[in-house]
Amino acid sequence: QYLPFVQLPPTSNTRGTVKDNPSFKVDEDVSALKKAIEGLGTTEKTLIEVLTQRSNAQRQLIAQAYEKATGRKLVDDLKGDTHGDFEDVLVALVTPPAVFDCHEVIKGAGTTESILTEIFASKSNKQIKALSEAYMAETGKSVLHDLKGEVSGDYGKALLILAEGKRDESTHVDTAKAKADAKALYEAGEKKWGTDEDKFIDILCHRSIPQLRQTLVEYKEISKKTLQESIESEMSGNLETLLVAVVKCVKNVPAYLAERLFKSMRGAGTTESVLTRIIVSRSEIDLMDIRAEYKKLFGYSLYSQLESEVSGCYGDVLKHLCGQD
């Protein structure tokens, strides 16, 4: 059932940390994994070395060959032989990217809006389309249909627009329109008593990224505040979080994700699910950029933070994927 998604290339692999391994030999990897799993006590080191140093497309070939050789699914054997965060991250690695995203949405619906916010604010139309196709293949239902039952109010309205994956993709910037939108946003928020949320939702969820970048500039001219500051003072709850995430992603997706990683390792305890999701899902897209933004924002490398915050086999996997700056 995963086959249709095997061929989906990552959006662009120039800024990923994980690339196709040039000396990839599927049979050697399969026998190494078999030995690691079937021997006395699982050899975690082998699992880590093989799975973190191959691209997702190569891992799919390994999974197919593994099943042919053993009659068992690689993902089931990994689940049976490992546990906790280590199991979760290995399962994530052998899952096709769109299917992994789809599983995260299923997890996010009904439990935590922050997963949905992060996924739909940071993904391109193409990634959302792949996610939707995987969701349909996995559940037999449309992701929009299921989300409608989970989210409500203005937050739901905004999230569903983003989940359609139909944001304008033109690269042309219309300055006059940016000025008009900035004025409309100012009049819908700062300037009036009470906020016209619909105006914010409409503009932020439909306009192209380059167009919105110009709108942010024009907004600051009129308002003397940034649009993010206005949203933070005018709104609250999930809608505020979502629209702020959209504004941050308009400016710089890797910086937004670097901040999510930072927050997941701050305070009491680490939110491993956030670390796993971002590091695995961006490892073939822009993890190098996320690393660079992390250092710029927080003054030390993501690698060194992982070293001090996450330990054991799980930490080793994340550090392998992240790589040193």
Side-chain angles (χ1 to χ4, degrees):
Q1 76 203 55
Y2 286 166
L3 279 179
F5 310 110
V6 172
Q7 302 316 321
L8 270 179
T11 19
S12 101
N13 194 10
T14 47
R15 305 301 301 153
T17 53
V18 173
K19 297 183 168 44
D20 280 336
N21 189 318
S23 53
F24 173 60
K25 291 189 182 65
V26 70
D27 301 341
E28 286 179 17
D29 286 349
V30 169
S31 61
L33 289 175
K34 261 184 70 172
K35 211 166 127 192
I37 289 168
E38 290 170 0
L40 267 177
T42 303
T43 321
E44 285 87 356
K45 194 167 171 285
T46 306
L47 299 181
I48 295 169
E49 275 171 9
V50 171
L51 296 175
T52 60
Q53 288 168 33
R54 311 288 181 270
S55 66
N56 193 283
Q58 290 175 329
R59 291 181 214 123
Q60 298 315 313
L61 297 172
I62 293 170
Q64 287 163 19
Y66 185 90
E67 193 173 344
K68 221 174 182 168
T70 65
R72 303 186 306 268
K73 283 193 180 341
L74 176 59
V75 69
D76 293 340
D77 278 2
L78 291 172
K79 284 178 180 172
D81 270 42
T82 59
H83 51 84
D85 299 315
F86 183 49
E87 175 193 331
D88 293 343
V89 76
L90 294 183
V91 168
L93 286 172
V94 298
T95 306
V99 178
F100 175 68
D101 287 342
C102 144
H103 291 166
E104 290 293 298
V105 168
I106 293 169
K107 232 164 54 183
T111 49
T112 159
E113 270 79 17
S114 69
I115 296 181
L116 300 177
T117 293
E118 177 202 296
I119 287 177
F120 291 110
S122 65
K123 290 200 179 299
S124 65
N125 288 359
K126 194 173 162 190
Q127 289 164 333
I128 291 173
K129 186 171 181 286
L131 181 164
S132 304
E133 286 171 3
Y135 194 94
M136 180 59 91
E138 291 275 296
T139 66
K141 286 184 291 199
S142 93
V143 68
L144 286 169
H145 172 273
D146 280 1
L147 285 173
K148 271 180 193 147
E150 295 288 347
V151 294
S152 58
D154 288 324
Y155 172 75
K157 197 184 294 179
L159 192 85
L160 289 168
I161 295 172
L162 294 174
E164 282 178 358
K166 289 189 179 150
R167 183 185 286 289
D168 176 17
E169 284 186 320
S170 87
T171 51
H172 168 71
V173 174
D174 179 339
T175 311
K177 189 179 177 186
K179 281 190 164 75
D181 278 350
K183 187 167 179 284
L185 289 169
Y186 180 60
E187 285 169 357
E190 288 293 330
K191 209 177 163 196
K192 68 188 285 250
W193 181 254
T195 307
D196 176 1
E197 282 88 358
D198 281 351
K199 191 46 89 183
F200 280 81
I201 292 169
D202 180 41
I203 292 172
L204 287 171
C205 299
H206 284 115
R207 302 285 187 270
S208 74
I209 300 298
Q211 184 66 30
L212 283 172
R213 283 185 183 152
Q214 187 60 37
T215 308
L216 296 181
V217 173
E218 303 296 344
Y219 186 87
K220 193 150 190 238
E221 283 290 298
I222 304 174
S223 169
K224 304 300 174 245
K225 280 167 105 168
T226 65
L227 185 58
Q228 184 180 329
E229 288 166 340
S230 291
I231 293 169
E232 286 167 343
S233 65
E234 296 288 318
M235 298 182 196
S236 60
N238 289 329
L239 179 67
E240 177 198 338
T241 311
L242 178 60
L243 294 183
V244 165
V246 169
V247 168
K248 286 178 175 175
C249 289
V250 163
K251 291 194 287 197
N252 186 331
V253 172
Y256 166 70
L257 294 172
E259 191 189 345
R260 292 272 300 159
L261 288 171
F262 178 74
K263 285 185 174 157
S264 75
M265 291 186 275
R266 271 189 74 190
T270 301
T271 317
E272 282 84 0
S273 59
V274 177
L275 289 182
T276 297
R277 181 171 59 252
I278 295 176
I279 291 177
V280 171
S281 71
R282 306 307 289 201
S283 62
E284 292 186 45
I285 299 172
D286 56 3
L287 191 50
M288 282 167 101
D289 295 329
I290 294 171
R291 261 177 13 188
E293 293 296 339
Y294 196 96
K295 205 165 198 172
K296 210 157 66 184
L297 288 165
F298 308 113
Y300 43 83
S301 74
L302 175 57
Y303 187 92
S304 66
Q305 184 68 355
L306 289 170
E307 213 157 33
S308 64
E309 294 298 329
V310 277
S311 57
C313 293
Y314 173 64
D316 289 343
V317 172
L318 294 187
K319 284 182 292 188
H320 266 85
L321 293 172
C322 170
Q324 295 198 46
D325 295 28

